[in-house]
C-alpha cells in the first residue's frame, strides 16, 4: 500500500512539474529574450548568458512607455481602491439589511455577470462620448468603481463572517450605520477586501478592449494598448517587443506571487 501511494505521489508531482513548465515557460522565455544583448534569431539564442538592461532603457527612451505605465497606475489604482470600497458598502447593505426588492436587485447583479463585457462597451462609449468624457480617465473611474462581481463576492464573505448579533449590539449602544460599518464590518472583512482588490487590479491592469475604445490619443493609452501598438511597429526587433511586454506583465506577476493565497481564498468563497 505504501509503495502504491509513493508511486501515486511521484506521478502527481511529475504532472505538476510538467504543467508548471508549460505555463511558466513562455514567461521565462519572455524575460530571457528581454535581457538579451545580442539579436535573437533562433530558440538557442534565448539561453545565451550575455544579459543587458539596454533593451529596457531603449524602450523607455524611444517610446511613451513611461506615460502609458503612469496611466495604467492611475486608472488601476483608483478603480482598485474605490471599486473595493463601494462594493463593500453595497455588499454590506445586501447582506445585512432588509428592504423591499432586495433579492430581485441581487439577482439583477448576478444577471450582469452573465453578459460578456464586450456587450456593453459600445453603449458605454456612446454614453461617454455624449458626456464629453472620451479620452479621459473618467470612463475607467465610472465603469470600474461599480463591480457586480465585487458586490457578489463580498456579500458572501459578510454573510459568512459578520455576526448579526454584534451589529445589533452596536446599534443598541448608539452606533450609526457608517460607524458600525467602519468600526465593526470593515475590520472583519479585510481579507475579503484584499481578495477583491487583487481581482480588480489584475482585471484592470490587463484591460485592453475597453482602454482601446475609450482612448483616442497616445498620451492617454494604457499599457496594454501601448504594448499592442509597439508590437505592430517593432515586430522585427524581438528583444524590444519582449522588454515592453515584460514591463507590462511584471506588476501582475508580482501581485499574484505575493497574494496568491488571497486569490485562492476568493475562489473558495465563490464556490461556497
Amino acid at each position: 500500500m505504501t509503495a502504491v501511494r509513493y508511486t501515486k505521489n511521484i506521478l502527481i508531482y511529475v504532472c505538476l512539474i510538467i504543467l508548471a513548465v508549460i505555463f511558466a515557460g513562455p514567461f521565462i522565455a519572455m524575460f530571457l529574450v528581454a535581457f538579451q544583448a545580442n539579436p535573437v534569431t533562433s530558440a538557442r539564442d534565448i539561453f545565451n548568458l550575455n544579459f543587458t538592461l539596454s533593451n529596457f532603457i531603449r524602450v523607455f527612451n524611444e517610446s511613451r512607455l513611461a506615460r502609458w505605465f503612469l496611466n495604467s497606475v492611475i486608472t488601476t489604482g483608483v478603480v482598485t481602491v474605490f471599486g473595493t470600497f463601494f462594493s463593500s458598502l453595497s455588499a454590506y447593505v445586501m447582506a445585512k439589511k432588509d428592504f423591499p426588492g432586495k433579492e430581485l436587485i441581487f439577482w439583477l447583479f448576478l444577471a450582469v455577470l452573465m453578459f460578456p463585457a464586450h456587450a456593453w462597451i459600445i453603449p458605454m462609449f456612446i454614453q461617454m462620448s455624449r458626456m464629453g468624457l472620451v479620452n479621459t480617465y473618467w470612463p475607467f473611474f465610472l465603469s470600474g468603481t461599480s463591480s457586480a462581481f465585487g458586490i457578489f463576492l463580498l456579500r458572501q464573505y459578510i454573510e459568512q463572517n459578520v455576526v448579526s448579533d454584534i451589529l445589533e449590539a452596536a446599534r443598541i449602544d448608539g452606533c450609526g450605520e457608517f460607524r458600525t460599518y467602519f468600526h465593526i464590518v470593515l475590520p472583519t472583512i479585510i481579507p475579503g477586501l484584499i481578495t477583491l482588490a487583487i481581482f480588480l487590479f489584475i482585471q484592470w491592469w490587463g484591460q485592453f478592449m475597453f482602454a482601446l475604445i475609450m482612448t483616442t490619443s497616445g498620451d492617454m493609452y494604457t499599457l496594454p494598448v501601448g504594448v499592442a501598438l509597439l508590437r505592430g511597429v517593432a515586430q522585427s526587433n524581438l528583444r524590444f517587443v519582449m522588454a515592453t511586454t515584460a514591463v507590462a506583465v511584471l506588476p501582475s506577476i508580482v501581485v499574484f506571487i505575493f497574494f496568491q493565497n488571497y486569490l485562492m481564498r476568493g475562489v473558495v468563497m465563490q464556490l461556497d
Side-chain angles (χ1 to χ4, degrees), residues 152-153 156 160 264-272:
F152 169 73
L153 183 71
Q156 302 297 104
Q160 295 175 9
M264 296 302 104
R265 184 181 301 176
V267 173
V268 174
M269 286 164 56
Q270 295 178 64
L271 294 177
D272 291 342

Side-chain angles (χ1 to χ4, degrees), residues 19 25 42 46-48 50 61 63 71 86 90 143-144 242 245:
L19 290 174
S42 65
I46 296 177
F47 299 98
N48 291 335
N50 189 13
N61 290 336
S63 70
N71 290 339
F86 289 132
S90 301
S143 176
M242 290 298 103
T245 307

Side-chain angles (χ1 to χ4, degrees), residues 71-81 200-202 204-206:
N71 290 339
S72 289
V73 169
I74 293 174
T75 55
T76 305
V78 171
V79 166
T80 299
V81 173
L200 291 177
F201 176 88
I202 294 176
W204 283 94
W205 185 264

Side-chain angles (χ1 to χ4, degrees), residues 149-243:
F149 167 76
I151 295 172
F152 169 73
L153 183 71
L154 292 180
R155 178 182 183 267
Q156 302 297 104
Y157 194 88
I158 291 174
E159 286 185 341
Q160 295 175 9
N161 295 275
V162 178
V163 181
S164 299
D165 292 341
I166 297 179
L167 302 180
E168 188 63 30
R171 295 189 190 97
I172 294 174
D173 289 340
C175 286
E177 292 296 340
F178 279 100
R179 187 177 180 185
T180 301
Y181 169 78
F182 282 107
H183 290 273
I184 298 177
V185 178
L186 199 61
T188 306
I189 64 172
I190 286 179
L193 295 177
I194 296 175
T195 301
L196 176 59
I198 295 168
F199 276 113
L200 291 177
F201 176 88
I202 294 176
Q203 175 189 354
W204 283 94
W205 185 264
Q207 185 65 254
F208 173 76
M209 185 62 67
F210 186 85
L212 178 65
I213 293 177
M214 294 297 173
T215 56
T216 57
S217 66
D219 287 337
M220 289 303 300
Y221 286 164
T222 57
L223 263 180
V225 179
V227 169
L229 176 65
L230 288 182
R231 285 177 182 172
V233 174
Q235 287 183 355
S236 59
N237 192 334
L238 188 60
R239 293 173 297 162
F240 189 87
V241 173
M242 290 298 103

Side-chain angles (χ1 to χ4, degrees), residues 53-66 240:
L53 293 175
S54 61
N55 297 321
F56 293 92
I57 297 174
R58 181 185 172 190
V59 165
F60 280 97
N61 290 336
E62 299 182 10
S63 70
R64 299 178 181 178
L65 190 65
F240 189 87

